Amino acid sequence: MENKAIPATSKYPDKPITLIVPYGVGGGTDLVARLLEKRALEYLGQPLVIVNKPGGAGTIGWNEVAGSSDGYTLGMTGVEIILQPLYGQTKYHYLTALDPLAQIAELSIVMVVQDTQPWKDLDELIRYAKKHPGEIKFGHGGMGTTGHVAGEMLAKSADIRLEQVPFQGSAEATASLLGGHIQVLFTNPASVKEHVKNGTVRILAVASEHRLKDPVFANAPTFREQGLDVVCSNWHVIAAPKDLPVEVKNKLVKGFEAIINDPEFQKNIEKLGFEFSYLGPKESQEKWLTENQKLSKTVQETGILDKIKAQKK
């Protein structure tokens, strides 16, 4: 379907492009968007204007992207575009309402505690939780996000009861951990990297298949190394509304590919604690479909789906 909102696609883009970050300022997704912003004029020919629209575990921002039609509103997405429709009705089915333009990086969820907490490793925390059910509060970036899922997976796998506390993004959740309002945080590595380096935060486990490559996190064991089947990863993908004119989409794909494959950009991504992993539109779309099948099965078989639905009521 031709998009009549862009009558002269050959001149596209002829004004700044809005990039919606569906989480708060300072979180991992926001930090990646700010890196794109720095190189946009050089490779896209127009500036990127970052707009933070937190809320609804990402859905508020994605609804705006999916409902736009001018080619000047894009969005940062993560695995929550798959997770949120599993938990209940959303305004759009994001896998069909959005088109991936490029995957930038992958990231695993890390489980961290404040350094003042007594638990030196995961086993100590689990033993404490068994003796004090429901006393430990874990924070995450929003209901049904990967951080939330990882926390619920741990509780089920270890047969312990944890109290979940949702926030409007990883930056807010991290601040709450540092303030002592929650005892545990499940978040992306970028949000806590500096705190790990300065010793105020301690990593107990990484929810990935393998340990992270970043030297700051390299000594942190995975959950599986510690006998628990908790694997939960995320990714950063730039997405556009469906049915953009082919010429417009191609220009965006080409521009973002150039930004993402710039060696300086890759270096900065890895400095944040992310694993650089570029995928084009076709490969990203295939990954979305594969992840959708895997996650649908996981949340149903573990009982997490029913639990999150109940918590959302």
Side-chain angles (χ1 to χ4, degrees):
M1 183 176 70
E2 185 178 354
N3 192 323
K4 295 180 181 178
I6 313 172
T9 55
S10 61
K11 295 181 180 179
Y12 176 88
D14 60 4
K15 63 180 181 180
I17 299 167
T18 296
L19 180 63
I20 292 178
V21 174
Y23 305 110
V25 175
T29 306
D30 182 68
L31 294 173
V32 173
R34 305 287 166 180
L35 290 181
L36 291 168
E37 178 186 36
K38 290 179 181 178
R39 312 306 295 269
L41 187 60
E42 179 182 354
Y43 290 108
L44 291 174
Q46 289 289 339
L48 272 181
V49 179
I50 309 300
V51 177
N52 296 84
K53 296 221 168 183
T59 58
I60 290 176
W62 296 322
N63 288 346
E64 184 158 336
V65 178
S68 67
S69 60
D70 60 0
Y72 289 93
T73 304
L74 309 175
M76 295 294 297
T77 68
V79 75
E80 284 83 13
I81 63 166
I82 292 171
L83 288 169
Q84 287 306 314
L86 297 177
Y87 306 141
Q89 187 68 36
T90 52
K91 186 174 181 180
Y92 297 93
H93 184 258
Y94 303 113
L95 295 189
T96 53
L98 299 174
D99 261 342
L101 301 176
Q103 175 179 290
I104 304 166
E106 286 194 76
L107 61 157
S108 296
I109 296 297
V110 294
M111 176 187 180
V112 301
V113 298
Q114 207 174 359
D115 193 53
T116 53
Q117 294 291 352
W119 315 299
K120 301 302 181 186
D121 56 38
L122 183 59
D123 187 53
E124 288 186 4
L125 182 141
I126 291 172
R127 287 203 304 268
Y128 182 92
K130 285 183 181 293
K131 292 179 181 178
H132 306 85
E135 185 178 313
I136 296 177
K137 296 178 181 177
F138 79 89
H140 53 80
M143 292 293 292
T145 60
T146 45
H148 187 191
V149 170
E152 299 289 4
M153 288 178 74
L154 168 63
K156 185 169 184 65
S157 182
D159 194 24
I160 56 177
R161 185 159 69 85
L162 304 174
E163 293 297 317
Q164 64 87 24
V165 182
F167 293 92
Q168 292 290 319
S170 53
E172 185 184 338
T174 302
S176 185
L177 179 79
L178 296 173
H181 305 296
I182 55 175
Q183 290 74 50
V184 178
L185 175 63
F186 288 84
T187 189
N188 64 77
S191 296
V192 292
K193 182 172 181 177
E194 291 306 311
H195 302 298
V196 173
K197 286 172 70 175
N198 64 33
T200 55
V201 160
R202 179 166 58 248
I203 298 181
L204 298 188
V206 180
S208 62
E209 299 280 359
H210 309 286
R211 291 194 182 196
L212 299 177
K213 297 176 183 177
D214 190 310
V216 175
F217 304 105
N219 291 327
T222 66
F223 281 100
R224 282 189 170 171
E225 284 180 71
Q226 301 175 83
L228 295 170
D229 189 21
V230 179
V231 177
C232 194
S233 62
N234 203 344
W235 22 261
H236 289 305
V237 172
I238 309 158
K242 204 78 170 180
D243 297 325
L244 284 184
V246 173
E247 186 178 348
V248 170
K249 182 178 177 181
N250 288 344
K251 284 187 177 182
L252 288 169
V253 168
K254 185 177 179 181
F256 281 117
E257 181 180 5
I259 294 175
I260 295 166
N261 284 298
D262 183 292
E264 186 67 22
F265 180 86
Q266 293 180 21
K267 182 179 175 182
N268 289 330
I269 280 290
E270 290 173 349
K271 278 183 181 178
L272 288 178
F274 297 133
E275 307 258 336
F276 175 77
S277 177
Y278 172 79
L279 293 177
K282 183 181 177 183
E283 295 82 7
S284 297
Q285 186 74 59
E286 290 170 353
K287 182 173 182 176
W288 280 10
L289 297 175
T290 301
E291 290 277 290
N292 185 48
Q293 292 178 338
K294 184 178 77 173
L295 287 168
S296 297
K297 184 178 180 182
T298 297
V299 298
Q300 288 172 10
E301 290 184 347
T302 58
I304 293 170
L305 177 59
D306 291 335
K307 190 167 186 177
I308 291 177
K309 280 184 175 180
Q311 290 171 344
K312 289 184 78 174
K313 290 180 180 177

